[in-house]
Amino acid sequence: LSGSLGAGILEDHYPPRNATDIPRNTRIFVTFKEAINPESIIKGYAEDPTSSDLNTDSIVIYKTADGPTTALASDKVAVYHDEAFKIFVFDPVEYLGSSEEDTNYTVSLTPNIEKADGSAAFSGAYAAGYAWTFEVSTEIDLTPPYVVSVVPQPASLEPRNVTIEINFSEAMDPVAGTGSYIIGEEPLFTNIRVTDEAGDTVEGAFEISNAYRTVSFTTIDACGEDPCGDTIYCLPSNQVVSAVAHAATLKPDEIPQAL
């Protein structure tokens, strides 16, 4: 139940396979290569698209030692997704594990998950689905992530086709960190803004990579082709371009969490 990562439908997930020392307040991310039918992952989505309960027929999260019969119930995991229905975030309502001992968890993606067209997400050699385990520590992570590096460097002179990148200290929520800003298309992603000298937002899309630690920006301005015939996208010419990543607003809880 591991072949679908890379070779099959799965692009990435967090926590990684066999990861250790994962904080108890972690969220679980899964990125698919193709759009997924949200009804197969979110319980009640067909009747109410604002639903957020987990479809436990498709996603099973449980303490490895206790087995799948003790899996988290539908209302114990909040589910949300990106605008393309490729990235899904699973946010346990209660902290995972225990404050007294490390706890191993299994996440099982079952054959009930469907692509957007209704066909099986897992097929062929990978028809049995996908599963992995990770170990949750006894700690709760209260340290906010921070920016480790950026590309380009501040005040640098760069070619128009340079890629803007923000590298973070830890895995970032891929739904909060990705999206597009295209005039006339909703929703407009504003958590990270790229602007020109006039202060106007540059149209383009933000994608996440590097185990959910790097967010990169690509414009929609096609300005040429590379030697392989692939389209080159460019930032505004002869202008100072600015990029701002906005910090999350915190909930007024005893233990702060991002809204």
Side-chain angles (χ1 to χ4, degrees):
L1 296 177
S2 63
S4 289
L5 181 61
I9 188 70
L10 293 179
E11 183 73 34
D12 205 355
H13 62 70
Y14 180 88
R17 177 176 295 275
N18 299 326
T20 58
D21 202 31
I22 299 299
R24 296 183 61 201
N25 55 333
T26 192
R27 294 170 180 170
I28 299 167
F29 314 147
V30 177
T31 302
F32 296 90
K33 294 179 181 177
E34 300 180 39
I36 295 297
N37 177 7
E39 297 177 22
S40 68
I41 288 185
I42 302 174
K43 181 180 179 180
Y45 185 91
E47 296 78 22
D48 180 8
T50 65
S51 299
S52 62
D53 286 352
L54 179 69
N55 184 340
T56 53
D57 291 332
S58 297
I59 311 287
V60 188
I61 304 170
Y62 59 94
K63 293 180 181 179
T64 306
D66 294 343
T69 57
T70 63
L72 296 180
S74 292
D75 61 352
K76 294 301 182 180
V77 182
V79 185
Y80 49 100
H81 55 81
D82 70 339
E83 58 193 47
F85 296 103
K86 291 183 178 181
I87 301 174
F88 289 82
V89 173
F90 307 95
D91 187 6
V93 174
E94 300 174 357
Y95 296 138
L96 298 177
S98 161
S99 61
E100 299 178 351
E101 60 181 1
D102 294 346
T103 308
N104 195 274
Y105 273 83
T106 296
V107 179
S108 176
L109 311 182
T110 78
N112 292 322
I113 298 175
E114 299 176 348
K115 296 180 183 179
D117 63 5
S119 63
F122 298 100
S123 59
Y126 314 117
Y130 181 87
W132 82 96
T133 65
F134 59 90
E135 188 174 83
V136 172
S137 72
T138 59
E139 302 296 324
I140 297 171
D141 181 10
L142 300 180
T143 303
Y146 57 89
V147 175
V148 174
S149 63
V150 295
V151 178
Q153 290 294 305
S156 62
L157 182 63
E158 302 288 343
R160 290 186 64 199
N161 61 329
V162 66
T163 298
I164 295 177
E165 291 185 354
I166 306 175
N167 298 297
F168 293 93
S169 59
E170 59 183 273
M172 303 296 290
D173 186 320
V175 172
T178 63
S180 59
Y181 190 100
I182 309 295
I183 302 301
E185 295 185 8
E186 298 291 341
L188 293 175
F189 179 75
T190 58
N191 291 351
I192 306 174
R193 299 289 292 272
V194 176
T195 56
D196 60 19
E197 282 187 340
D200 295 326
T201 301
V202 178
E203 293 181 273
F206 295 87
E207 297 181 340
I208 200 162
S209 60
N210 186 31
Y212 301 98
R213 292 174 179 240
T214 298
V215 176
S216 58
F217 175 75
T218 303
T219 74
I220 63 170
D221 183 5
C223 57
E225 292 185 351
D226 63 19
C228 297
D230 296 325
T231 303
I232 298 173
Y233 296 92
C234 290
L235 293 166
S237 62
N238 299 317
Q239 295 191 45
V240 174
V241 175
S242 301
V244 177
H246 297 282
T249 301
L250 295 181
K251 294 179 180 178
D253 294 338
E254 180 179 349
I255 298 177
Q257 295 183 2
L259 287 170

